[in-house]
């Protein structure tokens, strides 16, 4: 209807519509949205910081390893590598798990580790070289193992070892 039959003003209907909109706008709290966004941003940053802190490994620990000569560091790592691979060759998952770095063991449980690694078929592990710097050692190995269709496969492998509290630990990248 374009024309009103009477000259009366229909402002009551218009005021009712605007008061409903005004009530809905008043119920929408802009500061509440801002607080939620800031809280979400703070949570994301906190999770990121905690994640980075959880991955941190102190390579020198209490400085006992830093005082070792490079040759002594290589000897310590060689002994630990041999012991870990002896455990793997025997199929002793628990013993090989004990050589994982403390940070790795905090992130990966024994059952997770046991579910991911190969438990049998290893025959031999020979150390080819050990290169150490101030923080870690890279160990190059030759691993001999059996496969279901082939026996005596020899494959090169590189492992990372770090020092923590004077001890060498394997860094599992599972």
């Amino acid at each position: 209807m374009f024309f009103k039959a009477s000259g009366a003003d229909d402002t009551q209907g218009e005021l009712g519509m605007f008061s409903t909109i005004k009530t809905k706008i008043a119920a929408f709290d802009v500061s509440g949205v801002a607080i939620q966004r800031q809280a979400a941003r703070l949570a994301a940053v906190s999770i990121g910081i905690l994640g980075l802190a959880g991955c941190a490994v102190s390579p020198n620990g209490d400085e006992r390893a830093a005082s070792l000569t490079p040759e002594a560091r290589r000897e310590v790592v060689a002994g630990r590598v041999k012991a870990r691979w002896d455990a793997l060759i025997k199929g002793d998952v628990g013993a090989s798990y004990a050589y994982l770095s403390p940070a790795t063991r905090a992130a990966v449980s024994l059952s997770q580790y046991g579910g991911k690694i190969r438990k049998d078929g290893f025959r031999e592990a020979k150390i080819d070289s050990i290169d150490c710097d101030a923080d870690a050692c890279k160990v190059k190995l030759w691993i001999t193992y059996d496969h279901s269709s082939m026996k005596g496969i020899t494959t090169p492998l590189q492992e990372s070892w770090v020092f923590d509290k004077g001890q060498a630990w394997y860094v599992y990248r599972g």
Side-chain angles (χ1 to χ4, degrees), residues 78-93 95-96 99 119 122-126 143:
R80 302 274 292 170
V81 169
K82 182 180 178 339
R84 178 177 171 272
W85 275 98
D86 286 346
L88 285 170
I89 291 168
K90 292 177 187 172
D92 189 349
V93 175
S96 68
Y99 290 94
K119 296 171 196 64
F122 292 116
R123 288 187 182 187
E124 183 180 35
K126 289 183 181 178
I143 306 301

Side-chain angles (χ1 to χ4, degrees), residues 31-47:
S31 64
V33 173
I35 290 170
Q36 287 176 345
R37 286 183 182 164
Q38 293 299 324
R41 193 172 293 152
L42 177 64
V45 169
S46 298
I47 289 170

Side-chain angles (χ1 to χ4, degrees):
M1 162 190 301
F2 293 106
F3 297 100
K4 296 185 180 181
S6 69
D9 189 14
D10 192 16
T11 58
Q12 187 66 20
E14 290 175 8
L15 288 178
M17 181 177 70
F18 286 118
S19 67
T20 303
I21 293 172
K22 186 177 177 183
T23 304
K24 288 182 180 179
I25 290 173
F28 180 74
D29 185 13
V30 177
S31 64
V33 173
I35 290 170
Q36 287 176 345
R37 286 183 182 164
Q38 293 299 324
R41 193 172 293 152
L42 177 64
V45 169
S46 298
I47 289 170
I49 290 171
L50 290 174
L52 289 174
C55 294
V57 174
S58 173
N60 291 331
D62 59 4
E63 303 297 323
R64 286 182 279 182
S67 66
L68 295 175
T69 65
E71 184 59 37
R73 289 170 66 92
R74 283 192 292 275
E75 286 179 25
V76 168
V77 170
R80 302 274 292 170
V81 169
K82 182 180 178 339
R84 178 177 171 272
W85 275 98
D86 286 346
L88 285 170
I89 291 168
K90 292 177 187 172
D92 189 349
V93 175
S96 68
Y97 179 79
Y99 290 94
L100 300 183
S101 70
T104 303
R105 284 181 301 192
V108 179
S109 70
L110 175 59
S111 62
Q112 289 171 326
Y113 175 72
K116 290 183 180 182
I117 67 163
R118 182 181 180 145
K119 296 171 196 64
D120 61 354
F122 292 116
R123 288 187 182 187
E124 183 180 35
K126 289 183 181 178
I127 297 173
D128 184 41
S129 66
I130 300 174
D131 296 317
C132 297
D133 60 21
D135 299 335
C137 296
K138 296 289 182 192
V139 180
K140 293 182 181 176
L141 303 150
W142 290 97
I143 306 301
T144 304
Y145 61 96
D146 294 333
H147 188 269
S148 60
S149 60
M150 295 184 284
K151 306 294 180 196
I153 302 166
T154 301
T155 297
L157 178 69
Q158 181 171 310
E159 294 181 342
S160 296
W161 287 73
V162 295
F163 282 88
D164 187 20
K165 297 185 177 133
Q167 187 61 270
W169 302 97
Y170 173 61
V171 179
Y172 175 66
R173 303 213 186 266

